[in-house]
Amino acid sequence: MPKIKLAEKTINIVKEICAKYDNNEGELINVLHNVQAKLGYLPAEVQELIAKELNSSVAKVYGVVTFYSFFTMTPMGEFPISICMGTACYVRGAEQVLDEFKRQLKLEIGKTTEDGKFSISCLRCVGACGLAPVVMVGEKVYGRVSPQQVRKIIAEYQDGCPSS
Amino acid sequence: MADYKMHIMVCGGSGCRASESDKLTQNLDTALQKNGLEEDVQVVTTGCFGFCEKGPVVKILPDNTFYTQVTPEDAEKIVEEHIIKGRQIKHLLYEDPNAKELIPDSKHMDFYKKQVRLALRNCGFINPENIDEYIARDGYAAIGKCLSEMTPEAVIEEIKESGLRGRGGGGFPTGLKWDITRKSEADQKYVVCNADEGDPGAFMDRSILEGDPHTIIEAMAICGYCIGADKGLVYIRAEYPLAIERLKIALDQAREYGLLGEDILGTGFNFDIELKYGAGAFVCGEETALIHSMEGLRGEPTFKPPFPSVSGYNEKPTNVNNVETFANIPVIINKGAGFFSQIGTGSSKGTKVFALAGKINNVGLIEVPMGTTLREVIFDIGGGIKDGKKFKAVQTGGPSGGCLTEAHLDTPIDFDNLIKVGSMMGSGGMIVMDEDDCMVAVAKFYLEFTLDESCGKCSPCRVGNKRLYEILDKITQGKGTKEDLDKLRLLGNVVKDTSLCGLGQTSPNPILSTLDNFYDEYLAHVEDSKCVAGQCKALMQYKIIPDACSGCTLCFRNCPVGAISGERKSPHFIDQSICIKCGVCYEKCKFDAIEIV
């Protein structure tokens, strides 16, 4: 992977967050949550910086980032599509919905389309089991989704954000 | 609350919010203002009512009218018809799926009749963002009673007597756990609330935190008083933004009222709570893994002993309890151990909250006394199977539990009975399956989950589960043999016996229980290459029966991949090389002209 040089602004954001947690190694997970919320993802260079700031090792930071499914090292799409794969959604056909998204966008789980618009990921239960199967695009929740609706959902975002 | 004549309770749980209940609340407020009623009628955003299937849910007090699937557009009608004219709006009332009649209020709904709500006592009744409403329903009375009238030993004795056992899955006696932590000598101790609800399809803890956050704060403070800790930590999933937000609001309010912080209620007792966020790892529900995660490490479990009660967070004695366990504590203190222990069975006292989901009419959150049978839960409260299909199995205990069959329906639910029949209570997920669900595929689904979530520390879990998964995959592809079934059982037992923590020790349960209860289905896969439920795609094909096909083109128009061809009014044909076996044509055909072979 080619190395990227972090912008001054990014470096400051990361440093500020680490300082907010007193550069305490024990707060690593909180730091990562905050940094990812700001930057959208956690590239290797950012992890190196966090390790330095918290006086920890890169191996440890990387170990934590890759352990937890919430953290990602690749940027998500502008409209991240998450398909709930909790059991309730699974038995109501979430897999077929996921397959349809993969097929329509020609995308694998965890990947982003070339134009950076969409990415697909699986969720473990949003807790809206009454609406199963559930799909989230960004913050918006779609309930009782069938494979036939997939094309329509994608189309809503194809030309930017939907009005509602 | 005294000045208002009526209250409109709107569910603000995650499920109903996803169906725009927040917009509904706004519209209701606007409609009340328009009619000059804002002084007489109050709109209250509450926690989960439990009846998620038909959300968003609205309940009107004092008459208990229960409206379901209410849209933001219905707001005006509710105000004009119901509030002003006193007429119920028929099309929003709940229709009993079996009796086919409209139910005017929640008290007459089968869904609620058999429930006993202790842990969920305030969910759907109060505004979780208002501490006064919690206090009005005996909130913070229990901590007051403990601090002013009871010694820590007496409180622990009360909890022990109540028979309360851990609701997170383990079922360890709560009073005993507190006692052990109390007796561990140290300069610092911690109370931890485990709100890392990882079981996919379970949302009890989230609903309690969203609907009644103060009860958790109060119970943690009581625990702190008992074990001698002044610090509490809530380990909560980052995926629960609404629960986090409400908990934060509740913490601020409790501090403002002097119910958290230093010198609580003037008794000299100090206690405060901090939030720690999970980051998506199922294994972190295991207490040692959870503690490592709170310390900023990978959430890998470690050998017990030492138990967290002796050496936990920062190597200090730590008492870890689950959200639902804590939610029961104020009830026990307020109403007494005797009240609590008279509910339930011999070894399991009190109630249990279940997240009922899957192929069932009333998906939702329910709380029933221990000892209620699966049949009562599924058919009386749950309203039976969706679309009139046949019940096949119920899965309890999430990825660690097992699948039970019709033969187990009359088993009274409690910790020990469920283990006896090869499943477990777990945290309370309950997924109902019908005739269309393939049990081999279900076992594979759960194993895929554990495989994904295995931390990789011990080899039985890391490697064993992978091999188990490969065998299951082979079977669902139609390439399995009868020997594979024996291998599954043998290896499953090895993984169960030799894994380090609860995750690995229970991960083969879905396989072992389906092997026990649905062996014929496995046999059909390996001997006849047949998937009875028609779910294993490699083993099936959709075919059009030419004689039955009327050429209506409905399947042709609905096929998402264009695999169907044919002229109007003449039989159609499915190209198997293009077909993705999604089943749309099968569902759409009105002439039963499509068969699964």
Side-chain angles (χ1 to χ4, degrees):
Chain A
M1 211 192 237
K3 252 198 158 349
I4 50 170
K5 193 170 175 332
L6 296 176
E8 196 66 27
K9 202 175 132 212
T10 312
I11 295 177
N12 286 334
I13 290 174
V14 174
K15 282 187 173 171
E16 253 170 53
I17 291 170
C18 292
K20 195 172 100 187
Y21 288 99
D22 300 327
N23 296 71
N24 179 354
E25 200 184 351
E27 298 286 349
L28 175 61
I29 291 175
N30 276 337
V31 168
L32 293 173
H33 269 301
N34 277 270
V35 173
Q36 184 166 299
K38 286 263 184 214
L39 306 182
Y41 71 121
L42 299 164
E45 293 75 12
V46 166
Q47 294 179 37
E48 283 171 20
L49 180 61
I50 292 174
K52 204 172 128 214
E53 288 299 307
L54 300 185
N55 206 10
S56 180
S57 72
V58 181
K60 195 185 146 188
V61 174
Y62 177 77
V64 169
V65 169
T66 49
F67 185 86
Y68 295 98
S69 61
F70 201 82
F71 299 131
T72 172
M73 287 176 63
T74 47
M76 285 198 287
E78 187 185 347
F79 305 112
I81 299 170
S82 316
I83 294 104
C84 180
M85 278 303 234
T87 322
C89 288
Y90 171 79
V91 298
R92 285 200 187 176
E95 207 173 15
Q96 286 90 306
V97 174
L98 170 66
D99 286 347
E100 193 56 23
F101 269 109
K102 277 163 58 178
R103 210 179 57 81
Q104 297 246 352
L105 294 169
K106 299 185 182 62
L107 213 57
E108 283 305 303
I109 298 167
K111 297 275 191 275
T112 307
T113 47
E114 267 176 36
D115 58 3
K117 220 162 196 160
F118 297 104
S119 56
I120 300 183
S121 64
C122 287
L123 277 176
R124 298 286 189 206
C125 199
V126 229
C129 306
L131 301 174
V134 173
V135 170
M136 284 177 81
V137 183
E139 301 271 292
K140 188 165 164 141
V141 179
Y142 294 83
R144 304 196 175 95
V145 179
S146 65
Q148 294 94 296
Q149 284 170 292
V150 168
R151 191 185 295 275
K152 221 179 101 214
I153 294 174
I154 296 173
E156 272 185 49
Y157 296 87
Q158 207 64 267
D159 314 305
C161 212
S163 49
S164 66
Chain B
M1 282 175 95
D3 294 342
Y4 295 105
K5 294 187 188 80
M6 283 179 116
H7 297 275
I8 306 176
M9 321 296 275
V10 182
C11 178
S14 278
C16 286
R17 265 213 177 180
S19 316
E20 302 190 299
S21 77
D22 43 349
K23 205 164 159 197
L24 170 64
T25 311
Q26 282 171 14
N27 288 5
L28 281 168
D29 274 327
T30 317
L32 287 173
Q33 273 165 19
K34 205 172 104 187
N35 291 286
L37 288 167
E38 67 269 30
E39 302 286 322
D40 301 312
V41 183
Q42 189 191 23
V43 183
V44 184
T45 305
T46 70
C48 184
F49 279 88
F51 200 59
C52 310
E53 175 71 31
K54 300 269 182 213
V57 171
V58 170
K59 187 162 139 181
I60 299 182
L61 296 179
D63 53 285
N64 277 317
T65 301
F66 198 82
Y67 289 137
T68 54
Q69 292 184 317
V70 186
T71 63
E73 291 73 41
D74 292 323
E76 229 158 89
K77 199 156 186 199
I78 291 179
V79 172
E80 281 164 12
E81 286 291 312
H82 190 118
I83 304 292
I84 298 177
K85 297 182 187 155
R87 287 199 291 239
Q88 287 190 326
I89 303 160
K90 293 272 182 303
H91 80 272
L92 293 178
L93 287 173
Y94 168 67
E95 190 192 76
D96 187 287
N98 300 319
K100 299 278 176 225
E101 55 186 44
L102 296 177
I103 311 288
D105 61 71
S106 58
K107 295 213 162 25
H108 289 90
M109 286 170 67
D110 285 341
F111 182 76
Y112 287 110
K113 270 191 219 158
K114 287 202 171 172
Q115 294 197 45
V116 176
R117 290 163 89 92
L118 301 183
L120 298 176
R121 64 195 179 282
N122 289 326
C123 290
F125 282 99
I126 62 167
N127 175 353
E129 297 182 11
N130 185 343
I131 187 169
D132 291 327
E133 295 194 12
Y134 178 67
I135 292 173
R137 284 176 62 93
D138 288 336
Y140 292 105
I143 180 79
K145 187 175 170 188
C146 291
L147 292 179
S148 57
E149 296 169 24
M150 299 169 85
T151 61
E153 289 86 353
V155 180
I156 291 177
E157 205 42 53
E158 194 77 18
I159 305 291
K160 275 187 182 168
E161 227 171 87
S162 74
L164 176 65
R165 291 168 68 176
R167 298 292 194 248
F172 191 82
T174 307
L176 184 59
K177 201 182 223 180
W178 287 20
D179 201 21
I180 298 169
T181 323
R182 173 169 177 78
K183 286 175 180 150
S184 301
E185 301 270 343
D187 54 343
Q188 173 76 55
K189 294 183 194 177
Y190 296 98
V191 177
V192 172
C193 173
N194 181 350
D196 188 54
E197 191 167 47
D199 171 1
F203 50 99
M204 301 73 53
D205 296 350
R206 195 206 67 211
S207 296
I208 295 173
L209 290 166
E210 283 179 6
D212 194 14
H214 284 286
T215 197
I216 303 304
I217 298 175
E218 182 178 11
M220 287 178 73
I222 294 173
C223 180
Y225 173 64
C226 291
I227 65 167
D230 62 2
K231 187 138 197 221
L233 300 145
V234 180
Y235 183 82
I236 185 167
R237 288 183 78 188
E239 289 92 330
Y240 285 175
L242 188 61
I244 293 172
E245 187 191 314
R246 295 213 172 127
L247 196 55
K248 277 184 177 165
I249 294 172
L251 286 170
D252 286 341
Q253 288 176 344
R255 281 185 200 116
E256 203 185 300
Y257 275 55
L259 296 162
L260 271 186
E262 291 191 359
D263 194 19
I264 294 172
L265 298 169
T267 57
F269 170 62
N270 305 332
F271 192 77
D272 212 332
I273 294 173
E274 191 189 319
L275 300 187
K276 289 271 183 185
Y277 302 109
F282 178 64
V283 70
C284 289
E286 202 279 341
E287 52 185 8
T288 60
L290 179 147
I291 286 165
H292 293 307
S293 180
M294 290 202 309
E295 291 167 343
L297 304 167
R298 289 164 69 99
E300 288 171 346
T302 38
F303 267 119
K304 296 194 274 193
F307 287 90
S309 303
V310 177
S311 172
Y313 184 60
N314 291 339
E315 290 169 19
K316 303 290 184 191
T318 305
N319 186 87
V320 186
N321 282 131
N322 157 273
V323 172
E324 193 189 333
T325 315
F326 276 128
N328 279 299
I329 300 288
V331 180
I332 294 170
I333 302 296
N334 284 332
K335 298 199 170 176
F339 164 81
F340 190 83
S341 61
Q342 59 157 12
I343 305 169
T345 64
S347 61
S348 308
K349 302 296 185 192
T351 57
K352 178 77 191 86
V353 182
F354 289 100
L356 206 52
K359 306 275 184 66
I360 191 160
N361 275 318
N362 302 336
V363 167
L365 203 65
I366 62 156
E367 182 170 356
V368 289
M370 295 274 190
T372 307
T373 64
L374 285 164
R375 191 186 297 280
E376 285 172 288
V377 169
I378 296 167
F379 289 93
D380 297 345
I381 299 171
I385 310 303
K386 242 186 159 47
D387 305 326
K389 299 244 174 163
K390 208 168 156 264
F391 168 84
K392 183 171 192 177
V394 53
Q395 211 279 352
T396 68
S400 313
C403 291
L404 302 176
T405 67
E406 192 142 15
H408 303 110
L409 279 180
D410 292 309
T411 309
I413 305 166
D414 74 6
F415 285 106
D416 308 303
N417 277 336
L418 285 180
I419 288 175
K420 240 182 266 165
V421 293
S423 184
M424 64 187 280
M425 181 83 83
S427 58
M430 197 179 270
I431 312 277
V432 177
M433 297 167 204
D434 69 10
E435 53 197 298
D436 296 336
D437 290 303
C438 166
M439 299 321 286
V440 185
V442 166
K444 189 177 129 186
F445 166 78
Y446 277 111
L447 205 70
E448 194 177 352
F449 177 84
T450 20
L451 196 62
D452 220 30
E453 294 295 340
S454 169
C455 76
K457 186 169 176 170
C458 71
S459 9
C461 179
R462 185 185 65 241
V463 185
N465 279 324
K466 179 91 186 154
R467 296 288 96 85
L468 283 172
Y469 179 81
E470 285 164 1
I471 299 173
L472 281 177
D473 192 49
K474 206 171 125 191
I475 296 173
T476 57
Q477 300 290 339
K479 295 171 190 154
T481 61
K482 214 171 158 218
E483 289 72 56
D484 285 329
L485 303 186
D486 300 330
K487 263 190 225 161
L488 270 182
R489 197 184 290 276
L490 179 69
L491 183 55
N493 279 314
V494 170
V495 172
K496 204 173 162 162
D497 291 341
T498 53
S499 288
L500 172 63
C501 82
L503 189 142
Q505 286 159 11
T506 56
S507 61
N509 281 351
I511 303 176
L512 296 173
S513 72
T514 45
L515 272 174
D516 282 342
N517 296 326
F518 299 93
Y519 192 69
D520 289 348
E521 250 188 271
Y522 278 89
L523 268 187
H525 278 77
V526 297
E527 288 190 335
D528 311 326
S529 293
K530 254 205 151 60
C531 173
V532 193
Q535 211 190 347
C536 295
K537 286 183 184 170
L539 301 181
M540 57 181 262
Q541 276 187 351
Y542 286 98
K543 277 205 170 136
I544 295 177
I545 309 165
D547 291 345
C549 178
S550 72
C552 72
T553 72
L554 193 62
C555 59
F556 165 77
R557 279 179 280 139
N558 276 286
C559 178
V561 288
I564 301 178
S565 56
E567 294 296 316
R568 182 170 272 277
K569 296 201 173 147
S570 59
H572 283 51
F573 171 77
I574 301 173
D575 185 339
Q576 298 299 337
S577 64
I578 305 175
C579 176
I580 54 165
K581 296 168 185 172
C582 68
V584 169
C585 52
Y586 182 77
E587 275 167 32
K588 293 279 172 188
C589 182
K590 291 182 179 139
F591 304 96
D592 290 330
I594 295 173
E595 61 177 348
I596 300 172
V597 288

